[in-house]
Amino acid sequence: MWLAPFCCFLYFPSFETHSVEVIVNSSVPQKQLSASHLRRIFTVRHRQWANDLPIKVFVLAKNNATHKNFCLQKLEVFPYQLEKIWGKLLFSGLGEPPLVLTDEKEMIEMVRKTPGAIGYVDSLPQNSGVEIMKMESSDD
């Protein structure tokens, strides 16, 4: 009985995460997405924007901290689950997985110069030439 007050002092490690920003090329007509729509885009199930412009998806490497945070925060899936989906697409011939980029600087540059592009970054410098996609508070 005397140990009960000490239960609240158990140590649980916390992982610091930053809010990841979804970025798009200025040609993208949509300004807001739901989590489920974003998930469909990054699992290559939704392939065109509302103006029929093809969606070009860019991602960071699976061991990148920003990629891990993006998967958990925005897509609500684990990175390995996303990799598995992309592998199935590739091996079934039903689609191509997203292009993997080396760092956030390259991500910003590729999204900026590719019409219909979407990606994500941990921090976005001012005047980067890309737009931030707002996330809807409620899902579809």
Side-chain angles (χ1 to χ4, degrees):
M1 190 83 184
W2 60 274
L3 291 177
F6 296 105
C7 292
C8 64
F9 293 108
L10 292 176
Y11 174 73
F12 292 100
S14 64
F15 299 98
E16 185 178 333
T17 59
H18 297 93
S19 181
V20 178
E21 298 286 356
V22 176
I23 59 172
V24 293
N25 181 273
S26 60
S27 65
V28 172
Q30 288 178 258
K31 303 301 177 209
Q32 204 168 352
L33 287 175
S34 67
S36 64
H37 193 176
L38 186 67
R39 200 174 309 110
R40 287 193 304 271
I41 290 171
F42 276 87
T43 56
V44 196
R45 291 186 178 116
H46 189 98
R47 299 171 193 231
Q48 289 185 324
W49 295 109
N51 63 354
D52 294 330
L53 185 66
I55 298 173
K56 182 66 178 170
V57 179
F58 294 108
V59 297
L60 296 170
K62 64 183 175 183
N63 60 347
N64 182 292
T66 301
H67 177 71
K68 292 174 185 176
N69 288 338
F70 171 73
C71 289
L72 296 172
Q73 290 176 14
K74 302 294 184 183
L75 301 181
E76 300 171 350
V77 299
F78 289 104
Y80 76 87
Q81 292 172 304
L82 207 50
E83 292 281 329
K84 189 174 178 178
I85 291 167
W86 296 337
K88 285 181 183 179
L89 277 174
L90 182 62
F91 293 116
S92 68
L94 295 175
E96 293 286 324
L99 184 61
V100 179
L101 304 176
T102 56
D103 58 31
E104 291 187 34
K105 184 177 177 183
E106 185 182 18
M107 174 73 76
I108 293 167
E109 180 62 20
M110 291 299 290
V111 170
R112 185 189 61 75
K113 71 179 190 178
T114 308
I118 188 169
Y120 51 86
V121 292
D122 187 41
S123 62
L124 186 63
Q126 288 186 334
N127 303 320
S128 61
V130 298
E131 296 182 22
I132 294 175
M133 178 64 75
K134 292 186 180 6
M135 299 304 299
E136 293 175 4
S137 56
S138 62
D139 219 357
D140 296 341

